Amino acid sequence: MIALFTDFGWAGPYVGQMRAVLARNESAPPVVDLMHDAPAYSARAAGHLLAALADEFPAGTVFVGIVDPGVGSARMPVIVEADGNWFVGPGNGLFDVLSARATESSWWRITREPERQSATFHGRDLFAPVAASLARGESVPGDPIDAPHGPEVGVELAEVVYIDRYGNAMTGLRAPADPTASLRVGQRELAGGHTFSDVAAGEGLWLVNSLGLVEVVVNQGDAARAYGLTVGSTVAWC
């Protein structure tokens, strides 16, 4: 299958145009809209989300990852194979975390010349066609390169990387070794729990969410509003 991960948003024409490219072949594989509200412009934050989400997919999945504020610039278009899955998109750090954490990973610089190339929509004109060709089992259209990151990239990120519609704030941290640790969020220290109802309505805590990431929540409330959190806000273990 092909999975789409972008910061395009769910409205507007962009996702539909990419899907149209992917559907041109009669034997096109199924397409999953994994996420289209990834943190806008922030490849680093989005990279931690993608690394967590990719674990849910079977080997052989082709991901089109697009959080690409440098589209049309000199930034490198890349293909990454990590533990049996493929990732196509900009070489701007979006795939660095999953590659650093993978048991095996390989990188290529895309050399394919698209039939058309908008300066501002490589997702439609370059990355979607390349993903479709990989999903069909065709050879990699690129030159091998060294992974452009060090192993330290796989280290957890003590920042908010996503805020959902409820105001729950996901971080780039994974479950700590000490489940009794407190998490400093702004001027507050929050205890950990297993689920929202471990505290009374309106009270906050941290928990490990369904992606395996530490999340700051308020039971039946908006944690981002309560604690003044945005993508990029820092947190720390106490």
Side-chain angles (χ1 to χ4, degrees), residues 163 166-169 185 190 204-205 216-218 221-229:
I163 296 171
Y166 300 102
N168 302 318
V185 180
L190 298 180
L205 74 159
V216 179
V217 306
V218 169
D222 187 321
R225 180 178 299 174
Y227 304 125
L229 300 174

Side-chain angles (χ1 to χ4, degrees), residues 14-28:
Y14 307 114
V15 175
Q17 290 182 82
M18 287 181 59
R19 277 182 153 274
V21 171
L22 296 172
R24 286 176 184 167
N25 192 309
E26 291 183 0
S27 60

